[in-house]
Amino acid sequence: AWIVFVPATGAGLLIVAVLNINNLRDIADDAVSGKNTLVVRMGFRFGQLYQAGLVIGALVCFSLFVIMADNRLASWLFLLAVPWLARYVWMVFKGGSPAGMRPLLGQTVGLTLLTCFLFSAGICLP
């Protein structure tokens, strides 16, 4: 069924966020070495906005799936990750330089895992 692509897109957006935070961190080196990443082409500020959009887009996808396919209270379990995700997005904007993105790479991976785990657990709970 087509509906399974909605949460898959949400998980994919979070995975792209891992790649994007890496590109934000390495923007200077990538520009020097000729890597034409999206962040190099569009700039650091765009990369920060894109990062926020990826996180928000993932939450929208997970929410749409719950509303359309499985509207039970347990299915909203992934919302427990929202405070951490909001703080993370704030930190992306606060760390206004590529060096400020270094500690966020690990957090991006951890939050991706946490959010996807909570979403999956919520869907599996009776």
PDB file of all heavy atoms in Angstrom, residues 100-119:
ATOM      1  N   GLY A 100      30.976  24.710  14.970  1.00  0.00           N
ATOM      2  CA  GLY A 100      29.865  24.516  15.890  1.00  0.00           C
ATOM      3  C   GLY A 100      29.006  23.309  15.555  1.00  0.00           C
ATOM      4  O   GLY A 100      28.190  22.869  16.366  1.00  0.00           O
ATOM      5  N   MET A 101      29.171  22.766  14.358  1.00  0.00           N
ATOM      6  CA  MET A 101      28.390  21.608  13.926  1.00  0.00           C
ATOM      7  C   MET A 101      29.042  20.290  14.336  1.00  0.00           C
ATOM      8  O   MET A 101      28.396  19.248  14.321  1.00  0.00           O
ATOM      9  CB  MET A 101      28.217  21.604  12.396  1.00  0.00           C
ATOM     10  CG  MET A 101      27.505  22.818  11.833  1.00  0.00           C
ATOM     11  SD  MET A 101      25.823  22.999  12.447  1.00  0.00           S
ATOM     12  CE  MET A 101      25.959  24.543  13.322  1.00  0.00           C
ATOM     13  N   ARG A 102      30.299  20.320  14.730  1.00  0.00           N
ATOM     14  CA  ARG A 102      31.025  19.080  15.052  1.00  0.00           C
ATOM     15  C   ARG A 102      30.320  18.227  16.112  1.00  0.00           C
ATOM     16  O   ARG A 102      30.124  17.035  15.906  1.00  0.00           O
ATOM     17  CB  ARG A 102      32.455  19.391  15.465  1.00  0.00           C
ATOM     18  CG  ARG A 102      33.283  19.924  14.336  1.00  0.00           C
ATOM     19  CD  ARG A 102      34.759  19.907  14.614  1.00  0.00           C
ATOM     20  NE  ARG A 102      35.501  20.755  13.699  1.00  0.00           N
ATOM     21  CZ  ARG A 102      35.680  20.524  12.413  1.00  0.00           C
ATOM     22  NH1 ARG A 102      35.144  19.463  11.865  1.00  0.00           N
ATOM     23  NH2 ARG A 102      36.375  21.350  11.657  1.00  0.00           N
ATOM     24  N   PRO A 103      29.929  18.796  17.246  1.00  0.00           N
ATOM     25  CA  PRO A 103      29.276  17.941  18.257  1.00  0.00           C
ATOM     26  C   PRO A 103      27.862  17.510  17.855  1.00  0.00           C
ATOM     27  O   PRO A 103      27.300  16.600  18.468  1.00  0.00           O
ATOM     28  CB  PRO A 103      29.251  18.815  19.509  1.00  0.00           C
ATOM     29  CG  PRO A 103      29.408  20.206  19.038  1.00  0.00           C
ATOM     30  CD  PRO A 103      30.161  20.143  17.745  1.00  0.00           C
ATOM     31  N   LEU A 104      27.301  18.133  16.844  1.00  0.00           N
ATOM     32  CA  LEU A 104      25.912  17.827  16.474  1.00  0.00           C
ATOM     33  C   LEU A 104      25.782  16.586  15.600  1.00  0.00           C
ATOM     34  O   LEU A 104      24.685  16.053  15.464  1.00  0.00           O
ATOM     35  CB  LEU A 104      25.283  19.032  15.770  1.00  0.00           C
ATOM     36  CG  LEU A 104      25.151  20.293  16.617  1.00  0.00           C
ATOM     37  CD1 LEU A 104      24.521  21.412  15.816  1.00  0.00           C
ATOM     38  CD2 LEU A 104      24.355  20.016  17.870  1.00  0.00           C
ATOM     39  N   LEU A 105      26.874  16.141  15.006  1.00  0.00           N
ATOM     40  CA  LEU A 105      26.792  14.955  14.149  1.00  0.00           C
ATOM     41  C   LEU A 105      26.324  13.739  14.950  1.00  0.00           C
ATOM     42  O   LEU A 105      25.387  13.042  14.547  1.00  0.00           O
ATOM     43  CB  LEU A 105      28.130  14.680  13.465  1.00  0.00           C
ATOM     44  CG  LEU A 105      28.159  13.475  12.522  1.00  0.00           C
ATOM     45  CD1 LEU A 105      27.124  13.624  11.409  1.00  0.00           C
ATOM     46  CD2 LEU A 105      29.544  13.305  11.927  1.00  0.00           C
ATOM     47  N   GLY A 106      26.937  13.495  16.067  1.00  0.00           N
ATOM     48  CA  GLY A 106      26.526  12.368  16.907  1.00  0.00           C
ATOM     49  C   GLY A 106      25.108  12.519  17.431  1.00  0.00           C
ATOM     50  O   GLY A 106      24.360  11.537  17.521  1.00  0.00           O
ATOM     51  N   GLN A 107      24.738  13.758  17.760  1.00  0.00           N
ATOM     52  CA  GLN A 107      23.377  13.994  18.239  1.00  0.00           C
ATOM     53  C   GLN A 107      22.365  13.718  17.139  1.00  0.00           C
ATOM     54  O   GLN A 107      21.269  13.205  17.408  1.00  0.00           O
ATOM     55  CB  GLN A 107      23.234  15.433  18.721  1.00  0.00           C
ATOM     56  CG  GLN A 107      23.940  15.697  20.021  1.00  0.00           C
ATOM     57  CD  GLN A 107      23.713  17.126  20.484  1.00  0.00           C
ATOM     58  OE1 GLN A 107      22.716  17.751  20.148  1.00  0.00           O
ATOM     59  NE2 GLN A 107      24.650  17.645  21.263  1.00  0.00           N
ATOM     60  N   THR A 108      22.706  14.057  15.906  1.00  0.00           N
ATOM     61  CA  THR A 108      21.795  13.814  14.784  1.00  0.00           C
ATOM     62  C   THR A 108      21.541  12.321  14.631  1.00  0.00           C
ATOM     63  O   THR A 108      20.399  11.888  14.456  1.00  0.00           O
ATOM     64  CB  THR A 108      22.371  14.389  13.480  1.00  0.00           C
ATOM     65  OG1 THR A 108      22.772  15.729  13.687  1.00  0.00           O
ATOM     66  CG2 THR A 108      21.351  14.335  12.362  1.00  0.00           C
ATOM     67  N   VAL A 109      22.600  11.543  14.699  1.00  0.00           N
ATOM     68  CA  VAL A 109      22.459  10.092  14.585  1.00  0.00           C
ATOM     69  C   VAL A 109      21.609   9.550  15.736  1.00  0.00           C
ATOM     70  O   VAL A 109      20.690   8.756  15.518  1.00  0.00           O
ATOM     71  CB  VAL A 109      23.848   9.414  14.554  1.00  0.00           C
ATOM     72  CG1 VAL A 109      23.721   7.906  14.619  1.00  0.00           C
ATOM     73  CG2 VAL A 109      24.623   9.839  13.319  1.00  0.00           C
ATOM     74  N   GLY A 110      21.903   9.978  16.955  1.00  0.00           N
ATOM     75  CA  GLY A 110      21.153   9.507  18.112  1.00  0.00           C
ATOM     76  C   GLY A 110      19.684   9.883  18.064  1.00  0.00           C
ATOM     77  O   GLY A 110      18.809   9.065  18.375  1.00  0.00           O
ATOM     78  N   LEU A 111      19.404  11.109  17.649  1.00  0.00           N
ATOM     79  CA  LEU A 111      18.003  11.548  17.571  1.00  0.00           C
ATOM     80  C   LEU A 111      17.253  10.852  16.440  1.00  0.00           C
ATOM     81  O   LEU A 111      16.052  10.588  16.549  1.00  0.00           O
ATOM     82  CB  LEU A 111      17.931  13.066  17.423  1.00  0.00           C
ATOM     83  CG  LEU A 111      18.269  13.831  18.694  1.00  0.00           C
ATOM     84  CD1 LEU A 111      18.411  15.319  18.401  1.00  0.00           C
ATOM     85  CD2 LEU A 111      17.223  13.590  19.769  1.00  0.00           C
ATOM     86  N   THR A 112      17.950  10.554  15.364  1.00  0.00           N
ATOM     87  CA  THR A 112      17.335   9.782  14.275  1.00  0.00           C
ATOM     88  C   THR A 112      16.949   8.405  14.788  1.00  0.00           C
ATOM     89  O   THR A 112      15.822   7.942  14.566  1.00  0.00           O
ATOM     90  CB  THR A 112      18.305   9.679  13.084  1.00  0.00           C
ATOM     91  OG1 THR A 112      18.532  10.983  12.560  1.00  0.00           O
ATOM     92  CG2 THR A 112      17.752   8.779  11.991  1.00  0.00           C
ATOM     93  N   LEU A 113      17.862   7.763  15.478  1.00  0.00           N
ATOM     94  CA  LEU A 113      17.581   6.443  16.039  1.00  0.00           C
ATOM     95  C   LEU A 113      16.440   6.499  17.048  1.00  0.00           C
ATOM     96  O   LEU A 113      15.508   5.685  16.997  1.00  0.00           O
ATOM     97  CB  LEU A 113      18.845   5.881  16.700  1.00  0.00           C
ATOM     98  CG  LEU A 113      18.720   4.517  17.363  1.00  0.00           C
ATOM     99  CD1 LEU A 113      18.360   3.454  16.338  1.00  0.00           C
ATOM    100  CD2 LEU A 113      20.017   4.167  18.054  1.00  0.00           C
ATOM    101  N   LEU A 114      16.486   7.466  17.944  1.00  0.00           N
ATOM    102  CA  LEU A 114      15.447   7.599  18.967  1.00  0.00           C
ATOM    103  C   LEU A 114      14.070   7.822  18.342  1.00  0.00           C
ATOM    104  O   LEU A 114      13.092   7.157  18.692  1.00  0.00           O
ATOM    105  CB  LEU A 114      15.773   8.745  19.919  1.00  0.00           C
ATOM    106  CG  LEU A 114      14.702   9.079  20.959  1.00  0.00           C
ATOM    107  CD1 LEU A 114      14.550   7.945  21.952  1.00  0.00           C
ATOM    108  CD2 LEU A 114      15.020  10.390  21.654  1.00  0.00           C
ATOM    109  N   THR A 115      13.982   8.754  17.418  1.00  0.00           N
ATOM    110  CA  THR A 115      12.698   9.084  16.797  1.00  0.00           C
ATOM    111  C   THR A 115      12.130   7.899  16.034  1.00  0.00           C
ATOM    112  O   THR A 115      10.941   7.575  16.163  1.00  0.00           O
ATOM    113  CB  THR A 115      12.845  10.310  15.877  1.00  0.00           C
ATOM    114  OG1 THR A 115      13.439  11.375  16.610  1.00  0.00           O
ATOM    115  CG2 THR A 115      11.500  10.752  15.327  1.00  0.00           C
ATOM    116  N   CYS A 116      12.957   7.239  15.244  1.00  0.00           N
ATOM    117  CA  CYS A 116      12.481   6.090  14.473  1.00  0.00           C
ATOM    118  C   CYS A 116      12.109   4.921  15.384  1.00  0.00           C
ATOM    119  O   CYS A 116      11.127   4.220  15.134  1.00  0.00           O
ATOM    120  CB  CYS A 116      13.529   5.671  13.452  1.00  0.00           C
ATOM    121  SG  CYS A 116      13.726   6.874  12.114  1.00  0.00           S
ATOM    122  N   PHE A 117      12.875   4.727  16.455  1.00  0.00           N
ATOM    123  CA  PHE A 117      12.545   3.673  17.410  1.00  0.00           C
ATOM    124  C   PHE A 117      11.198   3.958  18.077  1.00  0.00           C
ATOM    125  O   PHE A 117      10.351   3.065  18.190  1.00  0.00           O
ATOM    126  CB  PHE A 117      13.642   3.522  18.471  1.00  0.00           C
ATOM    127  CG  PHE A 117      13.266   2.565  19.557  1.00  0.00           C
ATOM    128  CD1 PHE A 117      13.333   1.193  19.344  1.00  0.00           C
ATOM    129  CD2 PHE A 117      12.805   3.028  20.781  1.00  0.00           C
ATOM    130  CE1 PHE A 117      12.960   0.309  20.349  1.00  0.00           C
ATOM    131  CE2 PHE A 117      12.435   2.146  21.781  1.00  0.00           C
ATOM    132  CZ  PHE A 117      12.508   0.786  21.567  1.00  0.00           C
ATOM    133  N   LEU A 118      11.000   5.181  18.537  1.00  0.00           N
ATOM    134  CA  LEU A 118       9.735   5.528  19.189  1.00  0.00           C
ATOM    135  C   LEU A 118       8.562   5.398  18.227  1.00  0.00           C
ATOM    136  O   LEU A 118       7.481   4.941  18.606  1.00  0.00           O
ATOM    137  CB  LEU A 118       9.794   6.936  19.769  1.00  0.00           C
ATOM    138  CG  LEU A 118      10.692   7.117  20.995  1.00  0.00           C
ATOM    139  CD1 LEU A 118      10.816   8.596  21.352  1.00  0.00           C
ATOM    140  CD2 LEU A 118      10.160   6.327  22.179  1.00  0.00           C
ATOM    141  N   PHE A 119       8.770   5.799  16.978  1.00  0.00           N
ATOM    142  CA  PHE A 119       7.701   5.657  15.989  1.00  0.00           C
ATOM    143  C   PHE A 119       7.361   4.180  15.804  1.00  0.00           C
ATOM    144  O   PHE A 119       6.184   3.796  15.839  1.00  0.00           O
ATOM    145  CB  PHE A 119       8.098   6.294  14.665  1.00  0.00           C
ATOM    146  CG  PHE A 119       7.072   6.088  13.590  1.00  0.00           C
ATOM    147  CD1 PHE A 119       5.916   6.860  13.577  1.00  0.00           C
ATOM    148  CD2 PHE A 119       7.234   5.105  12.630  1.00  0.00           C
ATOM    149  CE1 PHE A 119       4.945   6.644  12.608  1.00  0.00           C
ATOM    150  CE2 PHE A 119       6.276   4.886  11.664  1.00  0.00           C
ATOM    151  CZ  PHE A 119       5.121   5.661  11.658  1.00  0.00           C
TER     152      PHE A 119
END
